[in-house]
Amino acid sequence: MKFFLKTLTPLHIGNGEELSSLDYVLYQNKFYRISQQKFFIEFLNKNKINLDDYSKWIIETTQKINDLENERRRNRKNFGKDKNQQLSELRKNFNLLNFSKSIKKESEFINFLKTLNGISFEGTIKQQVRGFIKNRNNEPYIPGTSIKGSIRTALLYDYLSKNAKENVIKNILEKSLESIRNLRQNDIEKFKKDFAYKIELETFYCKYQKDKEEKDNDEKFDILKFLIVSDGKVISDNPLTLENIDLYLVKNDKNGSFADVQKQTPTVEAIKENTIIEFELDFNIDYLLSIKKNLNDKGYLEVKIGQNFEKQWIGIKEKVKNIFDLDIEKLNENNKEEYKKNAIESIIKKINNFSKKQIEWDQKWFNDITQKNSKSKFNNSHIEQGFNKVKVKENHLIHFGFGTGFTGITEFLYF
């Protein structure tokens, strides 16, 4: 089933790259991303520029920057305004455009830039630029794993809120706490992950029994295997933009609470707001029906492996009912398409409900910090603009990408 997403705010999903100043140029309010290979072939070689001249310029400039940084570390108090300015200028000018100026090839370099696709950007790049994930054709796309991860979190929240037996969650917590009392800090971090993992197993994973031992940690028996999510194709033209991100940290001092902008936040490649993304969301009803047909009267599959029998998909009826609102007992060849449609509609409803819970919490946090805020460092209107874009009640909402926040990627709202 084909679905379309429209971005309500700029969206960033990183590819792990942090572009250095030699990987891009900002020229006439446009951001040009430049691969070193393309630079070598289409600028240096084409204009018969000696590679040694380029290497020498890099070495000399980085050495000057390193020398000044080391001097500042050794003697920060006496470093002086002039040297700070000198260091700032060196960093600012350490880019390919200034290299072309140093060898009197500026016009040739500008002609080279015109062969590239630039992104309009009128701001100042703060730090290294984080790249957006792209396919082999260098086109931005939305990984299906990002979409499915957000769906998984929403379904888990719905299960915990409506169907989870409190004693089951309590038992998981108590068993985990038994081992925490004498743990080191690193082990406590492992405990947190272990606790979250056990709740996920309880929610999504059917059990299986092998060699008379019952287990629940095999991904083959994760019921979200029935849910198929494709990568998202960006179908809007010129979708990329460049965004400076403001992150705010809540702090306290003798005057009260305030939110202060975090220093050294990144500049990122992002998908523009109002960009259309196409993806496929499907539910493998035929696979589920084939399992249903082979369940024994105790509700699981019994599979012969070698000389032994293995029990599989233990508890599948209950889990499918809890997560997809789907009754396996009534599923058959005649109604499978209707059941498939109902399962997808149920998933969308749960995604939307979870997104609205996030917005309610964020609005509460925003109201609270605004009332307590005792300093002028916090830009209320900036954040209000973001809230106003997503508070459209008739929208079906899903939240993912950089900045989703703790409430969007955990089950904090349940606990």
Side-chain angles (χ1 to χ4, degrees), residues 150-175:
S150 185
I151 293 173
R152 192 180 190 93
T153 306
L155 295 178
L156 179 55
Y157 173 79
D158 181 83
Y159 168 76
L160 292 174
S161 301
K162 295 179 181 177
N163 301 300
K165 299 170 184 174
E166 288 190 12
N167 63 311
V168 174
I169 303 301
K170 183 179 178 183
N171 288 339
I172 292 173
L173 179 58
E174 287 179 347
K175 286 180 181 178

Side-chain angles (χ1 to χ4, degrees), residues 259-276:
D260 198 3
V261 66
Q262 185 177 349
K263 296 179 180 178
Q264 298 182 345
T265 51
T267 298
V268 300
E269 286 185 324
I271 296 292
K272 298 173 185 175
E273 61 182 273
N274 297 319
T275 296
I276 305 299

Side-chain angles (χ1 to χ4, degrees), residues 25-28 39 43 47 49 95-114:
V25 163
L26 200 60
Y27 177 71
Q28 291 187 342
F39 177 70
F43 177 67
N47 292 286
I49 299 167
N95 59 65
L96 299 179
L97 177 59
N98 279 295
F99 166 69
S100 71
K101 291 178 181 178
S102 72
I103 58 171
K104 297 181 171 52
K105 294 286 184 180
E106 182 180 359
S107 60
E108 290 87 345
F109 184 76
I110 290 170
N111 288 333
F112 163 66
L113 286 183
K114 290 177 181 178

Side-chain angles (χ1 to χ4, degrees), residues 86-101:
Q86 185 182 349
L87 181 57
S88 177
E89 286 297 316
L90 281 169
R91 287 172 173 165
K92 179 181 175 182
N93 294 326
F94 190 41
N95 59 65
L96 299 179
L97 177 59
N98 279 295
F99 166 69
S100 71
K101 291 178 181 178

